[in-house]
Amino acid sequence: GAVVSQHPSRVICKSGTSVKIECRSLDFQATTMFWYRQFPKQSLMLMATSNEGSKATYEQGVEKDKFLINHASLTLSTLTVTSAHPEDSSFYICSASPGDRSSYNEQFFGPGTRLTVL
Amino acid sequence: GDSVTQMEGPVTLSEEAFLTINCTYTATGYPSLFWYVQYPGEGLQLLLKATKADDKGSNKGFEATYRKETTSFHLEKGSVQVSDSAVYFCALYNFNKFYFGSGTKLNVKP
């Protein structure tokens, strides 16, 4: 089946630094990638949708200058948490879809990245 | 807005026991419904889905029926195995977006 990887799996950083998380589709081309955030014992919340070669679409309440998303190729999207603070500590999950909007319901998920900001 | 509510865990069962994980939803229009499973250290994997009312999704012995009248999509399995231990997420897909429940952890003891 389709595989999506994330790197790193865990990261600990100091407050005020920036952290980059990579999401790769390993055996298919991902027209669209999605970034989710999960708080403990809560559901996954969609942060943004990114299409290769264009700007990401952010969900209401998500700061686009805080969470920078780049989808430079059909197999790679990156999420950069800028000037991270302890409240940004969370589990970040990406997913990838091989198709256009008509097939967004077909998403393949990465294993997630645990971010801890000290 | 659209949302999904599923039973809190963890759920602990003995091997070969019957499993039910409840899931109810709130949505406008005609959403599709999904169950995803997440094993330790891995991403969410699609377990089963149903795209319209009265459809039954099934896979690996798991089943769930799309009940529009009760807005539910309960996950069931007749006889669980230790290898079924994982976190299960109920989700709905509507207007190009997924909405997930909070996940239910299942522990199956030998």
Side-chain angles (χ1 to χ4, degrees), chain A residues 95-109:
Chain A
S95 70
S97 176
D100 58 19
R101 286 170 72 93
S102 64
S103 59
Y104 278 4
N105 59 347
E106 184 180 27
Q107 293 186 25
F108 302 97
F109 289 81

Side-chain angles (χ1 to χ4, degrees), chain A residues 30-96:
Chain A
T31 305
T32 309
M33 287 185 169
F34 305 83
W35 287 95
Y36 295 85
R37 183 173 179 176
Q38 184 181 25
F39 292 99
K41 298 186 178 181
Q42 296 186 30
S43 60
L44 282 72
M45 301 296 294
L46 179 65
M47 299 174 65
T49 301
S50 74
N51 290 289
E52 185 263 339
S54 62
K55 289 183 178 181
T57 302
Y58 290 81
E59 295 299 302
Q60 192 172 11
V62 178
E63 301 175 58
K64 59 183 180 182
D65 295 330
K66 172 78 169 175
F67 299 99
L68 299 179
I69 292 172
N70 184 283
H71 192 164
S73 76
L74 285 172
T75 58
L76 173 65
S77 176
T78 59
L79 168 68
T80 301
V81 183
T82 61
S83 187
H85 291 283
E87 58 265 30
D88 299 324
S89 299
S90 193
F91 196 57
Y92 293 88
I93 300 173
C94 75
S95 70

